[in-house]
Amino acid sequence: MQHSSLLVQETVNNFTELPGIGPKSALRLVLYLLKSDPEYAKKLGSSIIELRDKIKSCKICHNISDDEVCSICNDSRREEHVLCVVENLRDLMAIEDTRQFRGRYHILGGVISPIEGVGPEELHIDSLLERIERNGVQEIIMAISPTIDGDTTIFYISKLLEGKEITISTIARGVSFGGALEYTDEITLGRSIISRIPYNS
Amino acid sequence: MKRLRLTHLEMIQFKNHEKTSTDLQGRLVCITGDNGMGKTNILDAIYVLCMSKSYISFRQADIIQNDKDFTRLVGSFERNGDKDLITLKYPRNGTKIIEKNGKKYTRLRDHIGFLPVVIITPDDVQLLLGGSADRRTLLDNTLCQVDRDYFTNLSQYNYVLKQRNSFLKSDIIDDKVLDIYDSKLIEFGKQIYDKRKQFFSDYAETVSKIYAKISGEKEDIEVTYKSQLNDQDFATLFQGAREKDRILQRTTTGIHKDDMDLLMNKHPVKSVASQGQRKSLLLSLKIAQFEIIKTQLQVSPLILLDDLFDKLDRHRVAHLIQLLTDGDFGQIILTDTNKTRVKETIGAISIDADWLEISNGQISNYEYSNS
Ligand SMILES: [Zn+2]
């Protein structure tokens, strides 16, 4: 689509780079911004800039955070001896939404997949082991997508923890094999955390 | 026994077919036209609808017409009164989407085997002359169509194999990771091995029976399963190959090295068989595939015969068609360059036949007759 205004054109183009936004939706958003209070556009723009500038990664669990340590790691009411290990932020959010888990998290940053250049070194596995050692973690729950790569990653971590006094469980597989966690509904996911099963490799 | 038939085909931006569609009524469909007009592509389109993959093109994206963004295929299939509409859309920058009666498949394994198919092409000669990969393809094509678990195990095995090979090429090779990949290859590979072994006991017998029928000769044909696992268990194999795998940076042992041995009177077919004997054997391998799929699924597969006279003289062609149409068969779709030759050769067989003529990717002439 060509627009008579280059400014409109450029904003539309920028919007279409967002996931799920096509040229039509982008134009609708741009027209909305033009119609609304100029203050709103300013607020929106600066919050986006601030978001990118100031967001941090929690140095303990690698969650997104406004400070060095995220609000979950800082929350003393949360059980610190139980860790839920997830692939990414989206999975953490999905589990947090179920309100069934009151422990802490650890984000791996992916799963082992050499095809995509991800070996164990590329993941936050060292910091996980350190945490387990330092904080006397008693249980870890592997909330990893039940795919071949997810399975490989769980297997690998469990091998590193062999001989340690620690319970390893995986979330119960109400999720079909090959399914991704973020598409699992809250109830299924919540239930599968409660009914987690001991992991034996 | 159900008989599968294709009754309508549409190809959009598929290889040299910009937009072609045709109705098919007979159980014998003869497509004729000069070379390069797109006859083989029609068979390949049908094959893609059945198996989701091209039989001819190595690079899957090559089935999309040059400079086009996608290809789309539509096929109406019929079996004993039941009709199914299958569509396949393949965008250049995406994955294939297959729908059955408007409903999208979530897993490919639910589709493979629904439209059983056997293709016979001039390239089959690679089964004798080519490497083991060609023979494994025949094996896998057959087993994937009759056994969903086999298809799943094979996809998973191949995926782990790719991961393991990539890992062997990386800078840091952690034995723990290799151990895990090995255990997965063993888990999936063992099931594949058992099924292949079982398959061969049936297949070997069927091939030699059909060979005797086709050739009318007495050579003793032996088809055997060749696998490293015949002599050693999987774990020992992987253990023994670990060092070699590290050096060569790929997985040198496993069921992806399996092969099929073809012997004639105890000697390798490749070195002792005459031209005629080879052709008879190649057809036997394919007809045996047809028979096994038919028996296991209780559905008679479509038969796609490419470039019919490339392999055979008139006498053999007539004999082959007779053999295929004798028992339960659903539909044969064949191509050749010479319409008169096809008519003269198979005209005596009393089956409803469609005659399609093709030029420049367009089916320009369509006649329906009871020849
Ligand atoms: Zn944190």
Side-chain angles (χ1 to χ4, degrees):
Chain A
M1 243 181 288
Q2 274 312 98
H3 300 291
S4 56
S5 152
L6 280 177
L7 291 168
V8 166
Q9 181 72 57
E10 198 187 322
T11 318
V12 164
N13 291 348
N14 285 331
F15 270 122
T16 52
E17 282 184 34
L18 293 169
I21 306 283
K24 272 188 193 158
S25 313
L27 182 62
R28 209 170 61 232
L29 294 173
V30 169
L31 294 178
Y32 176 81
L33 286 173
L34 289 178
K35 232 172 42 189
S36 61
D37 188 344
E39 277 310 306
Y40 171 68
K42 270 192 192 141
K43 230 167 57 190
L44 178 67
S46 61
S47 70
I48 292 174
I49 293 166
E50 219 174 334
L51 170 77
R52 288 304 284 137
D53 278 355
K54 296 196 177 157
I55 202 90
K56 293 190 182 70
S57 162
C58 170
K59 65 176 187 184
I60 299 174
C61 73
H62 312 284
N63 186 9
I64 45 163
S65 170
D66 295 348
D67 304 300
E68 293 278 286
V69 173
C70 76
S71 56
I72 296 176
C73 290
N74 253 334
D75 185 344
S76 58
R77 288 165 305 174
R78 298 189 72 130
E79 174 62 62
E80 67 171 330
H81 302 295
V82 183
L83 287 189
C84 183
V85 178
V86 293
E87 283 172 51
N88 52 41
L89 185 62
R90 272 189 318 226
D91 290 352
L92 182 152
M93 287 172 164
I95 291 168
E96 209 41 22
D97 275 349
T98 70
R99 299 162 190 273
Q100 297 295 342
F101 181 64
R102 298 302 296 160
R104 314 256 173 125
Y105 291 95
H106 192 87
I107 296 181
L108 287 179
V111 287
I112 297 173
S113 175
I115 297 171
E116 289 151 290
V118 182
E121 300 74 30
E122 274 70 38
L123 303 175
H124 298 132
I125 293 177
D126 285 347
S127 59
L128 172 67
L129 298 179
E130 223 174 276
R131 254 182 111 178
I132 290 170
E133 209 58 47
R134 187 160 28 90
N135 296 349
V137 172
Q138 289 152 1
E139 180 179 359
I140 60 173
I141 303 167
M142 301 283 196
I144 310 251
S145 298
T147 57
I148 287 179
D149 297 334
D151 225 46
T152 301
T153 310
I154 296 174
F155 203 168
Y156 180 77
I157 294 173
S158 75
K159 277 183 175 231
L160 296 176
L161 295 173
E162 245 165 26
K164 290 209 163 60
E165 282 289 314
I166 191 166
T167 310
I168 305 173
S169 57
T170 60
I171 53 169
R173 306 243 157 127
V175 194
S176 65
F177 197 81
L181 277 193
E182 67 171 303
Y183 300 119
T184 311
D185 66 85
E186 274 173 37
I187 298 163
T188 315
L189 190 55
R191 220 182 274 139
S192 60
I193 287 177
I194 296 169
S195 59
R196 60 188 179 266
I197 44 179
Y199 179 73
N200 328 293
S201 56
Chain B
M1 179 70 59
K2 295 203 165 154
R3 295 167 164 185
L4 181 65
R5 225 156 48 94
L6 174 69
T7 55
H8 180 78
L9 176 69
E10 258 173 72
M11 295 171 282
I12 293 155
Q13 296 167 182
F14 183 86
K15 297 187 175 177
N16 72 329
H17 296 274
E18 169 94 43
K19 193 169 191 300
T20 309
S21 77
T22 182
D23 287 315
L24 307 166
Q25 309 187 32
R27 296 176 62 206
L28 187 60
V29 178
C30 307
I31 305 168
T32 55
D34 291 336
N35 282 324
M37 290 300 154
K39 299 190 299 291
T40 303
N41 293 346
I42 296 180
L43 297 190
D44 201 28
I46 300 168
Y47 191 86
V48 171
L49 276 171
C50 298
M51 297 294 285
S52 91
K53 251 181 163 173
S54 166
Y55 189 79
I56 314 282
S57 304
F58 181 68
R59 272 170 23 104
Q60 289 302 307
D62 289 348
I63 65 173
I64 305 168
Q65 200 169 39
N66 280 342
D67 310 323
K68 294 290 173 14
D69 294 334
F70 70 93
T71 181
R72 189 178 146 85
L73 298 170
V74 182
S76 304
F77 295 84
E78 190 265 341
R79 72 187 81 196
N80 301 41
D82 290 340
K83 293 191 171 74
D84 292 294
L85 184 76
I86 304 293
T87 60
L88 180 142
K89 192 176 173 185
Y90 183 24
R92 196 174 283 281
N93 301 311
T95 50
K96 292 179 194 124
I97 296 163
I98 308 175
E99 290 178 354
K100 174 174 149 194
N101 302 322
K103 200 166 169 287
K104 193 176 140 186
Y105 280 102
T106 46
R107 291 174 310 190
L108 189 55
R109 63 177 259 187
D110 295 333
H111 180 62
I112 304 300
F114 178 65
L115 303 172
V117 65
V118 168
I119 188 165
I120 302 176
T121 83
D123 287 341
D124 289 345
V125 68
Q126 291 303 318
L127 289 170
L128 296 184
L129 307 178
S132 62
D134 294 292
R135 290 178 288 277
R136 275 196 308 279
T137 302
L138 172 66
L139 188 61
D140 291 337
N141 274 355
T142 315
L143 280 164
C144 284
Q145 293 193 65
V146 300
D147 188 337
R148 284 178 183 194
D149 289 341
Y150 183 88
F151 178 81
T152 308
N153 277 320
L154 187 66
S155 328
Q156 289 179 322
Y157 182 93
N158 287 335
Y159 183 76
V160 176
L161 185 66
K162 241 166 86 183
Q163 288 288 28
R164 192 182 189 270
N165 286 339
S166 296
F167 190 65
L168 285 165
K169 290 181 182 68
S170 60
D171 299 332
I172 308 165
I173 299 172
D174 185 334
D175 267 313
K176 281 196 256 347
V177 175
L178 283 181
D179 287 344
I180 295 167
Y181 286 141
D182 289 4
S183 73
K184 290 198 178 299
L185 289 178
I186 292 168
E187 178 193 339
F188 303 130
K190 186 75 179 70
Q191 300 185 60
I192 295 166
Y193 173 74
D194 287 344
K195 293 209 161 129
R196 283 182 180 173
K197 204 172 162 179
Q198 198 191 341
F199 167 79
F200 267 94
S201 63
D202 239 15
Y203 188 64
E205 204 187 310
T206 314
V207 171
S208 54
K209 247 192 238 158
I210 290 167
Y211 181 85
K213 238 190 207 169
I214 293 183
S215 70
E217 290 173 70
K218 287 184 263 320
E219 296 92 25
D220 173 36
I221 298 291
E222 247 183 287
V223 182
T224 54
Y225 181 27
K226 203 165 112 186
S227 174
Q228 296 163 314
L229 276 137
N230 288 340
D231 320 305
Q232 257 182 319
D233 75 272
F234 235 135
T236 319
L237 273 174
F238 277 122
Q239 271 311 314
R242 174 78 56 104
E243 252 342 276
K244 192 172 158 198
D245 287 2
R246 277 171 169 276
I247 294 162
L248 296 175
Q249 302 191 337
R250 61 189 158 78
T251 308
T252 57
T253 180
I255 53 108
H256 57 287
K257 298 280 166 190
D258 283 359
D259 201 353
M260 185 190 294
D261 258 345
L262 299 167
L263 300 176
M264 180 177 283
N265 299 326
K266 310 277 177 217
H267 296 289
V269 168
K270 209 167 143 182
S271 49
V272 297
S274 71
Q275 203 65 6
Q277 287 169 331
R278 284 182 185 191
K279 287 177 175 178
S280 296
L281 178 64
L282 286 175
L283 281 174
S284 309
L285 292 171
K286 287 300 178 85
I287 299 172
Q289 181 190 23
F290 170 77
E291 290 295 339
I292 283 182
I293 295 175
K294 189 169 86 176
T295 313
Q296 300 228 353
L297 292 179
Q298 287 297 303
V299 179
S300 188
L302 296 179
I303 300 171
L304 310 177
L305 271 170
D306 190 26
D307 220 344
L308 188 60
F309 287 89
D310 166 81
K311 252 193 215 81
L312 305 166
D313 53 44
R314 286 184 186 212
H315 172 73
R316 279 176 201 254
V317 167
H319 192 70
L320 169 69
I321 301 291
Q322 194 73 60
L323 190 76
L324 288 171
T325 54
D326 243 3
D328 273 303
F329 87 102
Q331 192 178 42
I332 299 173
I333 302 171
L334 62 86
T335 73
D336 193 58
T337 44
N338 189 329
K339 186 174 171 180
T340 321
R341 178 168 64 178
V342 180
K343 274 201 159 159
E344 282 171 7
T345 314
I346 63 175
I349 298 164
S350 56
I351 294 169
D352 294 349
D354 288 349
W355 297 92
L356 309 180
E357 207 163 299
I358 180 163
S359 101
N360 286 323
Q362 285 301 315
I363 297 175
S364 55
N365 169 2
Y366 176 75
E367 60 176 283
Y368 177 59
S369 66
N370 287 326
S371 56

